[in-house]
Amino acid sequence: MADLPVALSAEDNKLVVLARATRARTRAAEGAAVRDSDGRTYAAATVDLPSLQLSAVQVCIGMAVASGSRGLEALVLLGEAEGLTEPDAAAVRDFAGDDVVIHVADGAGKLR
């Protein structure tokens, strides 16, 4: 039986658009976007400076925490990765638990 394509909700599709635009604008390795438990969205790209390296997911979570968010509903990661790295997954669990909807896609936004 063939795998059926995953259909995104309209709200999750917005996260794909935000992550794709952020990644394209910054020409970063990854783009990510999250929706917090209040419905606010945050989008970010990889930070790769000599003195600071953060994944796009880590930046999104940091932005949500700094804005007073109490959790996440959904996360989208765009780039070459097949899934979240362990540090990213740990950050998601630490901040939001295990019930976060996670979508991973290629740089163009095609879901894996």
Side-chain angles (χ1 to χ4, degrees):
M1 178 180 215
D3 290 333
L4 297 174
V6 177
L8 291 177
S9 70
E11 292 300 312
D12 288 355
N13 192 55
K14 288 179 190 176
L15 295 178
V16 172
V17 171
L18 288 169
R20 187 172 44 211
T22 300
R23 183 174 184 255
R25 183 177 60 250
T26 62
R27 298 184 191 134
E30 296 177 334
V34 299
R35 184 176 56 255
D36 74 9
S37 53
D38 293 324
R40 296 176 294 193
T41 57
Y42 306 90
T46 307
V47 174
D48 191 11
L49 302 172
S51 61
L52 179 66
Q53 293 83 41
L54 296 169
S55 72
V57 171
Q58 292 167 344
V59 176
C60 281
I61 291 172
M63 292 167 60
V65 169
S67 295
S69 177
R70 296 176 190 226
L72 300 178
E73 290 179 355
L75 176 149
V76 169
L77 172 64
L78 273 62
E80 299 305 316
E82 294 293 322
L84 295 183
T85 64
E86 183 48 40
D88 286 351
V92 171
R93 282 190 306 271
D94 287 349
F95 179 55
D98 293 323
D99 294 330
V100 178
V101 174
I102 298 172
H103 300 288
V104 178
D106 65 16
K110 181 180 175 190
L111 294 178
R112 293 196 163 95

